[in-house]
Amino acid sequence: MDSESKKYEIAYLISSTVPEDDVVRIAGIVTGVIESEHGVVRHIQEPAEKRLAYPINKQKRAYFGYTTFTMDPSTVQNVIKKLKFEKEIVR
């Protein structure tokens, strides 16, 4: 890495239509994407179902989780791009 790693936090919403057993698997996808870009995961907050303040894609509930990690700033955009392709992650 050319520059110094920085601390980041990514929060995400998983569709409420996803079975509860698959929520942890999808959180693992987020972790996998971070690690594939040479990030170091520091903390994972397991997703928990929450009521949304406003509907997203006509859904009033979603699983909210977040992950803290360190990564080279030049690779953060790659993580965001890869996660946009995951259909279960609504935001």
Side-chain angles (χ1 to χ4, degrees):
M1 288 191 271
D2 294 16
S3 62
E4 190 175 318
S5 294
K6 293 189 178 184
K7 295 179 184 179
Y8 293 96
E9 178 179 276
I10 186 167
Y12 50 91
L13 293 173
I14 299 172
S15 174
S16 62
T17 61
V18 172
E20 197 168 329
D21 299 339
D22 286 343
V23 172
V24 174
R25 178 187 61 82
I26 295 168
I29 291 172
V30 173
T31 302
V33 169
I34 292 168
E35 290 173 345
S36 73
E37 292 295 327
H38 308 290
V40 178
V41 174
R42 298 290 179 206
H43 176 75
I44 300 169
Q45 178 63 43
E46 265 191 46
E49 192 170 17
K50 303 282 184 185
R51 183 178 168 273
L52 301 175
Y54 56 90
I56 298 174
N57 296 338
K58 299 181 182 179
Q59 295 182 27
K60 295 181 180 182
R61 300 187 73 76
Y63 293 95
F64 173 78
Y66 69 90
T67 302
T68 58
F69 59 98
T70 57
M71 177 178 280
D72 187 300
S74 64
T75 59
V76 172
Q77 287 301 316
N78 295 340
V79 171
I80 295 168
K81 286 178 187 176
K82 288 180 180 181
L83 290 176
K84 284 186 179 183
F85 289 110
E86 295 298 326
K87 62 181 180 187
E88 294 96 351
I89 299 175
V90 293
R91 229 181 241 164

